[in-house]
Amino acid sequence: MEIKARRRAIPVKIGAVVLGGDAPIVVQSMTNTDTADVEATVVQVAALARAGSELVRITVDRPESAAMVPEIVERLAKLGADVPLIGDFHYNGHTLLADYPDCAAALAKYRINPGNVGFKDKRDKQFSQIIDIALKHDKPVRIGVNWGSLDQDLLTRLMNENSASSDPKDARDVMHEAIVQSALISAERAMELGMGADKIVLSAKVSAVQDLIAVYAMLASRSDLALHLGLTEAGMGSKGIVASSAALSVLLQQGIGDTIRISLTPEPDGDRTVEVTVAQELLQSMGFRAFVPLVAACPGCGRTTSTTFQSLARDIQDFIRDQMPEWKRRYPGVETLNVAVMGCIVNGPGESKHADIGISLPGTGESPAAPVFVDGKKVATLKGPGASAEFKQMVLDYIEQRYGQGAIGRSAAE
């Protein structure tokens, strides 16, 4: 299936990061620490940034959290983790931003949920207060609708109008319309208050795959504002990964989306950076961006009863991810590298030839020898218990030769 031309959203600048326009699709994440706990929040934000999150959202839910935001930003800057921070506000955002102007100034963007920014006659007033503060500090906002906190007045009105219609729609379709309208009406109100379209990002999150696809298709067809994609409450483990990937890949294939977040429920005491890795792998698998060298490895079968190739593939992949923050600085372009670690003679040599560097380990009953291919040519045959270590060193040597300073010098000379 052909990837549709990317929808050209109005560019929005968030710190040094740009969403929309011709900018690449941005990966973002969110902390799950208590923002009032400066140490824990700084550690997690730094870890997310190191993993490759280009924007990080933090919860600002009470005075203690708002008061600590400037210190968090300052400490991150000292660590060299200059990732833009987004403040996530619900219910009392207007009060916190007004009472803690240093917090309002330190954040790179504000997230507003129009379903709970205020209720009844307070809604417009409190929404307007947040927009006014954003304008004062020259900050963009994300108007983030969530069907778990949808504006009930709007939904009720649309449901009543639908019931009175001579050709009523399915209730789910009305729900979709309410979500889209909530985002668009709020964006229109923000622009009436003086906010430019280049300061607004929209999101419309639901937890069911087909609903998310339908809602964002509607939103993309009715607005040229930048869009944040994410399946909310996606779940834990493989369920959350599969559901998020299924929904977002369809939308991305249609050219919809300027930034994504994979909202995974972490295992108890689990690694929050997993959601960053999944987002990166989704974009890289679809060919939209390159973040880390790809490691191709066969799935294994009765020909590969040895676990050597599995261990080597894992070791190479883990080593690459661990080294990438440093490699990005030392080896420009290394993220485009392709490595193959194969387990037998059936597809091993062919797959290894297609990779930049690859090894075909011996399968069950095969001669205990592992040919290594570099740029499509066989360059060595490794044998014995040291083969794995030798191949890892060959990968490092290849990276240095192709992407290191020597390669840059040769390229300039040519």
Side-chain angles (χ1 to χ4, degrees):
M1 183 184 295
E2 184 179 351
I3 296 175
K4 292 186 179 179
R6 175 107 172 266
R7 166 183 171 273
R8 287 181 59 84
I10 297 169
V12 178
K13 190 172 183 181
I14 305 166
V17 176
V18 178
L19 306 184
D22 294 323
I25 299 165
V26 171
V27 171
Q28 62 176 281
S29 57
M30 184 177 183
T31 60
N32 61 353
T33 59
D34 178 359
T35 305
D37 184 339
V38 173
E39 181 63 28
T41 302
V42 167
V43 167
Q44 191 172 88
V45 171
L48 290 167
R50 180 177 171 82
S53 186
E54 294 156 305
L55 298 170
V56 177
R57 182 158 45 112
I58 61 174
T59 297
V60 187
D61 58 343
R62 63 193 198 280
E64 292 83 356
S65 299
M68 292 298 103
V69 169
E71 184 177 343
I72 291 168
V73 172
E74 182 179 346
R75 287 185 56 178
L76 286 168
K78 289 179 179 178
L79 291 173
D82 57 352
V83 59
L85 291 188
I86 301 162
D88 194 58
F89 295 97
H90 298 274
Y91 307 109
N92 60 352
H94 60 294
T95 300
L96 294 175
L97 287 167
D99 291 350
Y100 294 87
D102 289 346
C103 168
L107 292 168
K109 186 177 77 168
Y110 313 151
R111 185 275 174 109
I112 313 169
N113 184 339
N116 58 32
V117 69
F119 302 100
K120 301 296 182 182
D121 58 334
K122 294 181 179 180
R123 180 182 294 113
D124 287 344
K125 178 182 178 182
Q126 293 175 182
F127 179 83
S128 298
Q129 288 175 323
I130 296 177
I131 297 300
D132 287 342
I133 294 170
L135 290 170
K136 176 182 177 181
H137 292 281
D138 194 28
K139 305 293 182 179
V141 299
R142 169 160 72 96
I143 296 171
V145 182
N146 189 304
W147 73 348
S149 52
L150 184 58
D151 181 343
Q152 292 302 300
D153 290 342
L154 174 61
L155 179 61
T156 299
R157 177 173 63 79
L158 292 179
M159 286 292 187
N160 289 339
E161 290 175 359
N162 186 61
S163 297
S165 171
S166 58
D167 185 21
K169 299 177 181 178
D170 182 84
R172 207 168 194 85
D173 292 334
V174 180
M175 169 76 80
H176 294 169
E177 179 64 24
I179 293 169
V180 172
Q181 281 199 29
S182 180
L184 295 178
I185 290 170
S186 297
E188 184 178 351
R189 177 58 180 154
M191 286 188 275
E192 288 173 353
L193 292 167
M195 179 159 283
D198 62 341
K199 295 288 186 182
I200 302 174
V201 180
L202 299 182
S203 68
K205 293 191 176 183
V206 300
S207 57
V209 170
Q210 295 296 345
D211 289 311
L212 191 86
I213 294 169
V215 165
Y216 271 97
M218 293 169 64
L219 196 56
S221 70
R222 291 158 64 172
S223 172
D224 55 2
L225 296 173
L227 297 180
H228 165 124
L229 302 187
L231 187 76
T232 191
E233 289 94 40
M236 183 180 288
S238 61
K239 185 270 180 186
I241 293 172
V242 170
S244 291
S245 299
L248 269 59
S249 62
V250 172
L251 291 167
L252 292 169
Q253 187 84 6
Q254 294 175 355
I256 298 171
D258 303 293
T259 178
I260 67 170
R261 181 195 170 202
I262 304 294
S263 301
L264 297 179
T265 303
E267 300 288 343
D269 299 318
D271 186 352
R272 191 68 167 180
T273 64
V274 171
E275 66 177 50
V276 179
T277 301
V278 174
Q280 289 182 329
E281 290 179 350
L282 173 61
L283 292 175
Q284 185 152 351
S285 296
M286 295 189 71
F288 291 112
R289 292 190 65 180
F291 295 97
V292 297
L294 291 176
V295 179
C298 67
C301 66
R303 290 176 174 269
T304 56
T305 52
S306 167
T307 60
T308 302
F309 84 96
Q310 299 165 344
S311 298
L312 181 57
R314 182 190 60 203
D315 288 349
I316 292 289
Q317 191 158 280
D318 290 348
F319 179 71
I320 285 171
R321 280 212 168 268
D322 288 343
Q323 295 299 313
M324 273 308 293
E326 174 65 16
W327 284 359
K328 284 181 181 179
R329 184 181 64 82
R330 292 181 58 193
Y331 304 118
V334 70
E335 63 274 7
T336 63
L337 176 71
N338 289 304
V339 181
V341 180
M342 304 301 291
C344 80
I345 199 171
V346 174
N347 294 315
E351 188 75 38
S352 296
K353 289 178 183 177
H354 289 307
D356 296 314
I357 179 168
I359 186 170
S360 180
L361 293 163
T364 305
E366 295 176 16
S367 174
V372 176
F373 298 84
V374 172
D375 295 330
K377 297 179 181 179
K378 182 178 175 181
V379 298
T381 299
L382 306 182
K383 298 180 180 180
S388 294
E390 290 180 59
F391 180 67
K392 281 191 274 190
Q393 185 58 52
M394 290 181 74
V395 171
L396 290 174
D397 291 343
Y398 182 85
I399 289 172
E400 178 62 42
Q401 179 184 15
R402 180 171 174 180
Y403 302 102
Q405 290 301 314
I408 295 172
R410 288 194 300 275
S411 177
E414 294 169 359

